[in-house]
Amino acid sequence: MTDPVTAPPPGAAAPVCSAKGCREAAVWVLAWNNPKLHTPERRKTWLACEEHREHLSRFLGVRGFLKDVVTLAEWEGREGGQDPEGSAADR
């Protein structure tokens, strides 16, 4: 499965929001971790459009899973682009 957080190849669709049923362009990366399942350093990712950033952040935050919220551009600019184990498809 291709991870939509990485830059799409030319002609491919842009990354989209992870909110159920949303097809808007992703602007935010929500990095999270479920401490019952993942090692402390592991980061899974969800993508969010402007409209769903707060909702998805709250969902993860209430459960104590949310670790970081950054712009997609900032996430892609980080060394290596993303955590190799993270996936926007993981919900």
Side-chain angles (χ1 to χ4, degrees):
M1 175 186 281
T2 302
D3 189 337
V5 175
T6 60
V16 297
C17 181
S18 297
K20 186 175 182 177
C22 184
R23 305 312 313 156
E24 293 295 316
V27 179
W28 298 95
V29 175
L30 287 67
W32 62 278
N33 163 302
N34 180 341
K36 291 183 180 179
L37 302 175
H38 308 124
T39 59
E41 63 280 349
R42 184 168 181 189
R43 293 295 179 263
K44 306 291 269 181
T45 56
W46 282 359
L47 301 178
C49 63
E50 286 292 343
E51 181 181 349
H52 291 111
R53 182 191 60 83
E54 185 63 34
H55 171 74
L56 293 173
S57 293
R58 234 179 302 130
F59 180 89
L60 293 168
V62 165
R63 290 155 180 81
F65 295 174
L66 187 62
K67 303 301 179 193
D68 199 10
V69 178
V70 297
T71 66
L72 180 59
E74 182 181 345
W75 185 264
E76 289 175 335
R78 289 183 176 182
E79 186 175 88
Q82 68 150 5
D83 183 298
E85 297 183 70
S87 170
D90 294 321
R91 287 199 236 167

